[in-house]
Structures are given as C-alpha cells and as structure tokens.
C-alpha cells in the first residue's frame, strides 16, 4: 500500500539538515544564496571621500564668511565716516 497520491513525494537536496526539514520553507531556504561578506574597502573609500568633501566645503565657507565680513565692515566704515 505504498501507491497513491500521498506517497508521491519530491526528493529534497541534501544540504544543511536544519534547512532540509521537508517543509516548503526548508526547501526554499535550501535553494537560497550563500551569504557573502560585504566589501568593506569600497565603503571605507566612500566614507573618506565624503569626509574630505565635507572638510573642503567647511573650509571654503569659512573663507567666504571672513571675506564677506571684511567687505561689509569696510563698507559700513565708509558709510559712517562719510
């Protein structure tokens, strides 16, 4: 009595026994991709470029603010002194 629809099963690949439980979820997990480590060198490079860009932007802003302060100070002095 090993015939009939109840005995027509699909053979699951043997892999990690935790993921090969016979359930649909275990079957899907057994066919998934392996976890690969992320590339840290690329992330570090991007962070360094962003920090350098931010530093350059701050330096340019300080120079512009100092020049504008001197220009406005000279303009106000000329207006007050006549």
């Amino acid at each position: 009595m090993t015939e009939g629809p109840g005995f027509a099963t699909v053979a699951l690949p043997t892999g990690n026994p935790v993921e090969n439980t016979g359930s649909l979820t275990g079957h899907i997990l057994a066919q998934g991709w392996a976890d690969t480590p992320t590339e840290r060198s690329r992330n570090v490079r991007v962070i360094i470029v962003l920090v350098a860009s931010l530093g350059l932007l701050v330096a340019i802003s300080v120079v512009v603010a100092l020049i504008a302060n001197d220009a406005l100070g000279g303009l106000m002095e000329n207006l007050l002194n006549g």
Side-chain angles (χ1 to χ4, degrees), residues 2-50:
T2 59
E3 297 178 15
F7 292 98
T9 60
V10 176
L12 297 174
T14 58
N16 189 350
V18 174
E19 294 176 354
N20 194 4
T21 61
S23 67
L24 179 60
T25 304
H27 179 70
I28 292 170
L29 289 175
Q31 293 179 358
W33 294 287
D35 290 338
T36 57
T38 58
E39 291 184 30
R40 293 199 177 258
S41 62
R42 184 175 173 104
N43 292 341
V44 170
R45 196 177 321 145
V46 169
I47 290 172
I48 290 172
V49 168
L50 287 175

Side-chain angles (χ1 to χ4, degrees), residues 46-70:
V46 169
I47 290 172
I48 290 172
V49 168
L50 287 175
V51 168
S53 300
L54 182 63
L56 184 63
L57 183 64
V58 168
I60 291 172
S61 299
V62 168
V63 169
V64 167
L66 291 175
I67 291 172
N69 186 26
D70 289 342

